[in-house]
Amino acid sequence: MSRKHKPEEVIGKLREAEIVLAQGGTVADACRRIGVSEQSYYRWRKEYGGLKMDQARRMKELEKENARLRRAVSDLTLDKLILQEASRGNF
């Protein structure tokens, strides 16, 4: 069962894992405690490591906005190419 975690949840789980590791536990113990695979732990640490809750939330908002703007640019580029083809009479 795959579940999408919110950035706030991820950061909370990473902090909990850091506590386990600081107490001398292994990465496997920390992952078992927070309920994720080691692969997820390392991916989350790479993406969210060192971020605070508000920074992670802002980063996700910016990623969504960036994706929306990229789609808009690609749509406009496609429209432009179609109009150029039509103006040359190649339809």
Side-chain angles (χ1 to χ4, degrees):
M1 177 175 130
S2 178
R3 176 189 130 119
K4 186 82 171 168
H5 295 277
K6 294 181 182 177
E8 297 85 14
E9 294 173 339
V10 171
I11 291 173
K13 288 186 178 209
L14 285 175
R15 285 186 181 158
E16 189 176 336
E18 286 175 15
I19 291 170
V20 172
L21 293 172
Q23 293 172 345
T26 64
V27 173
D29 292 336
C31 292
R32 205 171 14 260
R33 172 110 183 235
I34 62 175
V36 298
S37 67
E38 286 188 38
Q39 181 180 6
S40 294
Y41 168 75
Y42 286 115
R43 185 172 17 92
W44 287 353
R45 198 175 75 175
K46 180 180 175 185
E47 185 173 351
Y48 295 102
L51 291 181
K52 295 183 177 131
M53 296 279 188
D54 57 334
Q55 291 172 325
R57 194 176 302 118
R58 180 73 177 137
M59 182 181 74
K60 285 297 178 183
E61 289 172 4
L62 290 173
E63 286 175 354
K64 284 181 185 177
E65 178 70 8
N66 193 15
R68 186 185 69 78
L69 291 172
R70 284 180 189 266
R71 275 193 306 275
V73 168
S74 65
D75 289 345
L76 291 172
T77 303
L78 183 60
D79 290 345
K80 178 184 170 191
L81 292 173
I82 291 170
L83 290 172
Q84 285 174 344
E85 285 288 322
S87 69
R88 283 191 234 134
N90 294 337
F91 51 94

